[in-house]
Amino acid sequence: IFLKRFAIGSVSRYGIFGVLMENTIPFSVTLEPKWFNNKTDESHIPKGEYTCKRHISSKFGETFEISNVPNRLDILFHKGNISDNTKGCILLGSGFGISIGLPGILYSGIAFDSFMQRFKGDDEFKLVIEEI
């Protein structure tokens, strides 16, 4: 699975937008906080290759945790629509748009459910994060 990150001009002040892809086929949009030197609870994680493992979160329920992030723990995929909804995790959506008056992602619940269905029966997968 590939996460292709990009910024949309001045909108990047609202977070880093991206697209999750399997090979060359996009299946979800993403939103992460801006880069703050990999600071816990504030920054998105560095680009690179990671292993994502099935995880039960007390706050978000069943999801996947991104493992082996340098100096970071508890980086999850979960629901949310604006960058204030994440403290370094990857939010999933079905499209880009305006959510509560701010640039964000839309239909996060539907996108998250689809993401979990995609990996039904899998305990882990490889994630490659690139910036374009």
Side-chain angles (χ1 to χ4, degrees):
I1 300 298
F2 294 89
L3 170 54
K4 307 276 188 173
R5 288 178 176 151
F6 57 90
I8 306 170
S10 63
V11 178
S12 64
R13 69 184 171 151
Y14 297 105
I16 300 299
F17 294 89
V19 177
L20 270 182
M21 305 173 73
E22 187 166 10
N23 299 314
T24 59
I25 309 296
F27 66 87
S28 182
V29 299
T30 64
L31 178 57
E32 302 169 86
K34 292 178 13 176
W35 179 249
F36 291 104
N37 297 317
N38 200 33
K39 188 173 181 184
T40 299
D41 294 338
E42 291 186 36
S43 179
H44 66 261
I45 62 176
K47 62 184 177 178
E49 289 189 20
Y50 301 97
T51 299
C52 300
K53 298 180 180 180
R54 190 170 292 278
H55 177 76
I56 304 296
S57 162
S58 59
K59 184 173 182 179
F60 299 108
E62 187 174 9
T63 186
F64 281 86
E65 180 178 19
I66 304 167
S67 302
N68 303 321
V69 177
N71 304 310
R72 302 275 295 278
L73 298 171
D74 300 319
I75 306 299
L76 308 174
F77 288 94
H78 64 81
K79 301 172 190 176
N81 296 102
I82 60 172
S83 63
D84 286 349
N85 298 143
T86 178
K87 294 184 176 184
C89 296
I90 299 175
L91 303 178
L92 301 170
S94 295
F96 301 109
I98 302 298
S99 182
I100 63 168
L102 297 169
I105 56 177
L106 305 173
Y107 309 108
S108 186
I110 293 168
F112 181 79
D113 292 345
S114 177
F115 172 82
M116 292 304 292
Q117 187 64 36
R118 176 177 290 273
F119 294 104
K120 183 178 180 179
D122 294 331
D123 289 328
E124 66 180 54
F125 63 89
K126 183 173 104 173
L127 175 67
V128 177
I129 300 175
E130 302 173 339
E131 297 173 354
I132 55 174

